[in-house]
Amino acid sequence: MYRPLKFLSKWTKRAKDHAESGGQTAPGIDDSALQAVFAAASWLIDYPGDDLLERLPQISALLDQAGVPDHLKDDLDETIGHLGAGDPIGLRADYVETFDTRRRGCLFLTYFSNGDTRKRGQALLEIKEIYRAAGLDMDESQLPDHLTYVLEFAAGHDLRAGVRILLSNRAGIELLRLHLDEIGSPWAGTIRAVCGTLPALDGDDIHAVERLAAEGPATETVGLDGLGGYGDLPPSAAETTAAMTAAASASGAAAGPCSAGGGQTFIPLTDVTGERS
């Protein structure tokens, strides 16, 4: 029997090992290519406003200049092509439907693995501390676990620390990938590319993720709509504020309000491998 929480524990240990020794990414991808993939992905999964749509040629050029491996570039090009050819109004409606209205499309990574409010709040505070250690203080209206922010942090501030956050939340990224692939989302390629930069899942990992997708997370974690009978709405501001407040009270830190994520990101672009189960 494969226990989902063992999967989470394993990848938390891998993140710790990465922080101590480095090298916990897929083979054959150098640092400049990793940074380019993360920078491109952070823009491509952000809200498709005019700034993003105007930057698509720059994103493509960045991937070419950095020598991103073809299989990762092809996945990212899938999203770039869709955004470049789509009607802006339709793209924005599709984005909101995909990421902002359903739990299974949630871009807040700690939501997948920390259902207990204090545990999730502590996980959020730990990510903020990683940012602070790299010299970056986030606005209190932003949640640090939004995937756009994590990817941009890895691309533009501290690659090793950013990968550590991704590895610690590998289960959530894999579940998001499975969901986007299942619904045929044009953003699926971008999440596949992110997973493709990380170490391969082994057999136990794949079964654990499949079980999480089929049955929903265990009671210690927060579930997704359609995955174990959980509700359809995304995590609310009240839930997240409670998580941050509880953890901050325990640690003596200050808690900020919840943000819905998306919008302008904090690193200008100009300045699993995951098995595909």
Side-chain angles (χ1 to χ4, degrees):
M1 178 180 295
Y2 299 103
R3 299 184 181 277
L5 291 179
K6 287 188 175 181
F7 172 92
L8 302 178
S9 176
K10 175 190 291 186
W11 284 89
T12 298
K13 182 178 185 302
R14 288 195 184 185
K16 181 176 182 294
D17 292 342
H18 171 80
E20 293 174 350
S21 63
Q24 285 287 334
T25 52
I29 310 173
D30 63 27
D31 285 356
S32 62
L34 277 173
Q35 290 172 311
V37 169
F38 293 155
S42 71
W43 275 96
L44 293 175
I45 60 168
D46 206 349
Y47 182 79
D50 291 340
D51 285 351
L52 168 57
L53 299 181
E54 291 169 3
R55 280 184 191 270
L56 294 176
Q58 290 177 267
I59 295 172
S60 293
L62 174 68
L63 298 174
D64 290 333
Q65 293 166 4
V68 172
D70 287 344
H71 69 287
L72 301 178
K73 188 174 183 299
D74 288 347
D75 281 334
L76 293 165
D77 282 342
E78 177 182 305
T79 304
I80 292 171
H82 179 83
L83 293 176
D87 168 64
I89 295 176
L91 289 172
R92 290 159 192 165
D94 190 17
Y95 181 92
V96 170
E97 173 64 24
T98 301
F99 296 113
D100 292 346
T101 65
R102 297 181 184 276
R103 293 175 185 256
R104 52 191 164 180
C106 182
L107 291 171
F108 295 101
L109 297 182
T110 63
Y111 173 73
F112 289 90
S113 55
N114 294 278
D116 176 81
T117 56
R118 179 163 298 185
K119 286 184 179 179
R120 185 178 178 210
Q122 185 59 42
L124 291 168
L125 290 175
E126 288 172 0
I127 294 175
K128 273 198 168 184
E129 286 304 313
I130 292 173
Y131 292 168
R132 289 193 182 104
L136 177 66
D137 279 321
M138 292 191 67
D139 185 284
E140 289 299 326
S141 67
Q142 298 171 319
L143 286 179
D145 64 334
H146 196 276
L147 186 54
T148 55
Y149 302 148
V150 175
L151 291 169
E152 289 177 1
F153 174 72
H157 288 269
D158 189 323
L159 180 61
R160 178 177 293 188
V163 171
R164 176 185 172 189
I165 297 171
L166 294 173
L167 291 174
S168 294
N169 293 279
R170 184 67 184 277
I173 299 171
E174 289 294 333
L175 285 172
L176 179 61
R177 177 185 65 81
L178 287 170
H179 169 63
L180 295 180
D181 275 334
E182 181 182 7
I183 66 174
S185 168
W187 287 278
T190 295
I191 304 303
R192 284 199 304 270
V194 172
C195 290
T197 67
L198 303 177
L201 303 177
D202 61 26
D204 285 2
D205 291 334
I206 294 170
H207 283 290
V209 172
E210 289 175 343
R211 182 174 176 181
L212 279 170
E215 302 178 8
T219 56
E220 289 85 353
T221 63
V222 174
L224 309 176
D225 171 56
L227 309 182
Y230 292 86
D232 194 39
L233 294 176
S236 68
E239 290 173 332
T240 305
T241 300
M244 292 288 283
T245 300
S249 297
S251 65
C258 176
S259 164
Q264 183 62 43
T265 48
F266 63 73
I267 300 173
L269 182 64
T270 53
D271 301 326
V272 187
T273 85
E275 295 291 337
R276 300 186 185 182
S277 53

